[in-house]
Amino acid sequence: RCFANWGADVLLITESGVYPLSKVMSADRSQADLVAITNRISPAINAAARSYGSNFGWELNVYPRGTRLMLNIPTSENATAIQYVMNTLTGAWCEFDAHNALCWLTFNSLQYFGGPDGTVYRADTSSQDGQTAITAVMQTSWQAFGSPGSLKRFCMVQPLVRSQGVSRPSVGISADFVETTTLSTPSTSSAAQALYGSAIYGTDVYGSTDVFVADWTSALALGRFGSVKCQASTEDVEIGTVTADPVMQINGFVILAESGGYL
């Protein structure tokens, strides 16, 4: 369970991270962290190893169809788990919660996991977790916006989003390394779009299923460093007369802030 095929290489789970076996064998111990594929999330990996390292259920799973590498971390043995997930195209990491998996398997290009109740589930198959909508939370890296020494009053955020229907993310500003709990949803006047082959001629709105929106929303915060926090849900959307799974692509953010003088 601690090994996984990775192209022509083999990945190995250790207390210090996940390593390609060919590289770690040729690297000095002082340079081992540089070749770990988990080097971007080293603090999180080390904390998980300290807290849950003795629990059974650590496992790697490569899911090419979903461009994911998943590291299963059992937070409570045979009961609950989280997953650290790497995008194999970009190397970016995120965390999956509420997938209480004991094991993972990719079979015929599809991904499955076994739950603590003995049920086998198919993953990555719809926009719902069973009958429950999935909530995604994102936070950008902390930025000084060109002046780390000056205090800034953050006023507004403009998410640059491509989505279906009128789906919008909720956004807020975290300041000075304290995560915000205040999120607001941009208002919009974008009309729902019609699906070709399903829309009623003369009734539904003619156009494509995707719309690009850049609506401003208030996001007040005061600090020297800032980070955008964003939350979106996978509630079904109405596109014309058809109910469809939501598709939302967040391309970036524009932040409006007033910079103060140096003290």
Side-chain angles (χ1 to χ4, degrees):
R1 296 169 64 96
C2 62
F3 292 94
N5 291 329
W6 182 248
D9 211 335
V10 175
L11 294 179
L12 172 66
I13 306 175
T14 74
E15 290 185 346
S16 302
V18 179
Y19 296 91
L21 198 57
S22 63
K23 293 183 179 179
V24 76
M25 294 294 289
S26 60
D28 182 78
R29 180 65 185 88
S30 61
Q31 299 177 332
D33 290 344
L34 300 178
V35 301
I37 66 171
T38 52
N39 61 343
R40 294 186 181 182
I41 57 168
S42 293
I45 289 289
N46 293 336
R50 288 195 302 269
S51 299
Y52 315 117
S54 60
N55 292 348
F56 177 80
W58 287 74
E59 186 175 24
L60 283 168
N61 176 251
V62 181
Y63 178 38
R65 184 176 180 178
T67 65
R68 301 173 191 166
L69 170 71
M70 305 188 70
L71 173 62
N72 196 63
I73 301 174
T75 54
S76 178
E77 194 168 298
N78 298 324
T80 60
I82 61 174
Q83 294 79 39
Y84 291 163
V85 185
M86 186 185 78
N87 184 323
T88 56
L89 299 180
T90 65
W93 287 87
C94 70
E95 179 180 320
F96 283 5
D97 297 313
H99 283 73
N100 295 319
L102 302 186
C103 56
W104 291 85
L105 177 69
T106 300
F107 178 71
N108 286 341
S109 299
L110 302 177
Q111 190 180 48
Y112 301 87
F113 65 93
D117 58 354
T119 303
V120 177
Y121 299 90
R122 179 179 165 186
D124 193 31
T125 186
S126 74
S127 62
Q128 303 289 313
D129 182 8
Q131 303 299 319
T132 305
I134 299 171
T135 299
V137 180
M138 178 190 75
Q139 182 153 319
T140 65
S141 60
W142 295 94
Q143 302 290 333
F145 300 95
S147 55
S150 64
L151 193 65
K152 304 167 191 67
R153 179 177 177 268
F154 298 97
C155 304
M156 301 188 77
V157 178
Q158 182 187 40
L160 308 177
V161 178
R162 183 175 297 277
S163 70
Q164 292 181 342
V166 294
S167 298
R168 301 293 181 270
S170 299
V171 293
I173 291 286
S174 300
D176 288 346
F177 309 98
V178 177
E179 185 175 345
T180 183
T181 58
T182 303
L183 301 176
S184 56
T185 303
S187 60
T188 179
S189 58
S190 299
Q193 303 290 303
L195 282 177
Y196 181 80
S198 302
I200 300 175
Y201 185 79
T203 300
D204 289 309
V205 179
Y206 181 79
S208 64
T209 59
D210 293 343
V211 293
F212 179 79
V213 291
D215 304 306
W216 286 97
T217 184
S218 297
L220 301 178
L222 191 67
R224 290 173 172 79
F225 288 79
S227 169
V228 179
K229 184 177 179 180
C230 177
Q231 181 174 301
S233 177
T234 61
E235 295 284 355
D236 289 341
V237 296
E238 298 293 331
I239 304 176
T241 58
V242 178
T243 300
D245 288 341
V247 176
M248 182 184 297
Q249 176 181 320
I250 300 176
N251 299 308
F253 301 94
V254 179
I255 301 173
L256 182 62
E258 299 174 351
S259 182
Y262 290 92
L263 297 178

